[in-house]
Amino acid sequence: MHALVIGGGVAGPACAVALRSIGVEVTICEARPREDKDLGLWVMVAPNGLAALNTLGLKQIALRESLAGVAGPSGFVPMRRAGLYRLLREAAVARGARIEHDRKLIDASTTADGVMARFTDGSTLSGDLLIGCDGIHSRTRSIIDPAAPTARYVPLLNLGGFASDVDAPGEPAQLRFVRSRKGFFGYTVSGRRDVWWFANLLWGAEPSRAELAAMERDVLTERLLDTFAESPAFVADVIRATYTDLYALPTHDLPTVPTWWQDRMVLLGDAAHATTPTSGQGSSMALEDAVALAKCLRDLSGRQALSRYEQLRRRRVEAVVALGARASAAKIEGSSPSGSLDWVLDYRIDWASPA
């Protein structure tokens, strides 16, 4: 079997690693050019996501790439997004997958014995299965179902960055929060005066890409300092000590996608079920998906494998998306979400058992 994996973020290379473990030939089709360094913020890989990385044989590598080299007190591992991308891509290539850059999907269709993908540069690739790992604004999703829903805007603007030579309370790799009447601040520390942070600001209308690009660093900094003016002094210190861009992004989610697969095409990760960053589960859900899909393709064939994959994943991931929506609403309302997260964090996929 030859799988065309669309997308080279977290979901695509993780899927490639999982598929190579069962002997599937894999070509990852990444829209970005090879020289794109995937700059961006950071993610907290949750205990369930770390368990999926362990199944893929990548847990120890991930820990070495993390902020503090260890999991935090609650089992979360803070990692630069670019670092997670890199280790997954390197693992995929080391295990025999190919990565082709400048491959932006425009269309795909099934053939008598497979699937053909067409790209914006006019090129095509053929395979036996096409896996859409192309994120919340997935082109694969609309190819599978032209009536598929699009991303829903949540009125929060995400900002964040990396600061150094500043003191902030907390144990290494521990995620801590500071609330204000106007926004929400989260951060983690390395133990070496490095601080990784994010902030959520109430933001009524969704900003366009052009509007985001036009937002000046000084203006955003002043907005942040005003938002957290009544917070502990270290918050302002962290914001002022930030040496990177602020990476402002609107918040979106995708509550439910009616059609996950059709014929020889299937969705994985944010393309099928995007949760807000508030859930802390975006990357971990994609890692779980990768393991689950490979397990189903290992034990079942054709439509039966894709149907079983959806059956195993849909209820859980939609519950996590709903959890993220409640948490985001709580931020907007200035309240705190309640309830145990054990059902999310303690989840494990038993690779040895049959699908």
Side-chain angles (χ1 to χ4, degrees):
M1 177 186 289
H2 178 202
L4 303 178
V5 174
I6 309 300
V10 172
C15 181
V17 172
L19 292 178
R20 288 300 300 143
S21 73
I22 61 169
V24 174
E25 182 182 355
V26 179
T27 301
I28 300 172
C29 304
E30 168 55 46
R32 295 180 179 184
R34 186 180 302 275
E35 62 270 16
D36 192 316
K37 301 301 183 183
D38 293 319
L39 297 176
L41 273 173
W42 51 282
V43 299
M44 291 293 284
V45 179
N48 50 300
L50 196 62
L53 283 172
N54 190 49
T55 299
L56 298 176
L58 299 174
K59 177 180 176 179
Q60 295 306 317
I61 297 174
L63 288 173
R64 289 196 296 270
E65 285 277 349
S66 67
L67 171 63
V70 295
S74 57
F76 283 79
V77 178
M79 298 186 65
R80 285 181 182 258
R81 184 175 291 275
L84 182 56
Y85 287 172
R86 184 179 67 256
L87 79 86
L88 289 170
R89 290 176 185 177
E90 289 177 352
V93 171
R95 299 181 191 194
R98 296 189 300 275
I99 301 180
E100 298 199 3
H101 292 265
D102 295 302
R103 293 277 196 175
K104 185 175 182 180
L105 184 71
I106 191 171
D107 200 7
S109 59
T110 54
T111 64
D113 57 357
V115 61
M116 177 177 287
R118 298 176 178 83
F119 304 93
T120 53
D121 63 358
S123 63
T124 62
L125 284 175
S126 297
D128 301 297
L129 178 67
L130 186 146
I131 306 171
C133 301
D134 43 350
I136 192 169
H137 303 295
S138 169
R139 173 60 182 151
T140 309
R141 183 171 65 243
S142 60
I143 293 171
I144 290 176
D145 178 10
T150 56
R152 178 178 65 176
Y153 175 61
V154 178
L156 292 170
L157 188 68
N158 291 302
L159 302 98
F162 305 91
S164 60
D165 295 323
V166 62
D167 291 317
E171 298 179 45
Q174 179 184 31
L175 187 60
R176 296 180 64 120
F177 305 105
V178 177
R179 299 177 186 275
S180 85
R181 292 180 294 105
K182 301 177 183 178
F184 188 92
F185 186 89
Y187 71 97
T188 186
V189 301
S190 68
R192 299 181 300 274
R193 304 188 79 218
D194 294 318
V195 181
W196 295 2
W197 65 275
F198 71 88
N200 300 138
L201 304 183
L202 302 180
W203 211 271
E206 180 177 0
S208 66
R209 287 187 178 182
E211 289 171 330
L212 288 171
M215 292 181 183
E216 296 182 1
R217 168 69 177 266
D218 290 347
V219 173
L220 288 172
T221 298
E222 288 304 313
R223 176 72 178 265
L224 286 163
L225 292 174
D226 175 69
T227 299
F228 300 105
E230 299 176 4
S231 300
F234 78 85
V235 174
D237 293 339
V238 168
I239 293 169
R240 291 193 180 99
T242 298
Y243 58 85
T244 59
D245 290 337
L246 295 181
Y247 305 112
L249 292 171
T251 302
H252 295 95
D253 71 357
L254 195 62
T256 186
V257 174
T259 304
W260 278 27
W261 62 276
Q262 185 180 68
D263 297 326
R264 295 173 179 264
M265 294 184 277
V266 62
L267 302 175
L268 189 149
D270 280 357
H273 49 76
T275 181
T276 66
T278 304
S279 73
Q281 281 290 320
S283 295
S284 294
M285 288 292 99
L287 294 168
E288 285 185 4
D289 278 1
V291 174
L293 179 60
K295 180 176 176 176
C296 290
L297 290 171
R298 178 196 67 189
D299 296 343
L300 303 167
S301 60
R303 292 168 176 257
Q304 189 179 15
L306 302 186
S307 178
R308 179 59 175 160
Y309 159 69
E310 179 181 0
Q311 182 183 21
L312 289 173
R313 298 298 296 157
R314 180 180 284 277
R315 179 179 295 182
R316 171 169 170 78
V317 297
E318 290 188 352
V320 171
V321 174
L323 171 69
R326 291 194 299 273
S328 294
K331 287 182 177 179
I332 294 168
E333 297 165 359
S335 59
S336 299
S338 60
S340 171
L341 296 180
D342 290 351
W343 65 274
V344 179
L345 305 181
D346 292 346
Y347 183 84
R348 303 290 183 270
I349 296 173
D350 183 359
W351 178 253
S353 67

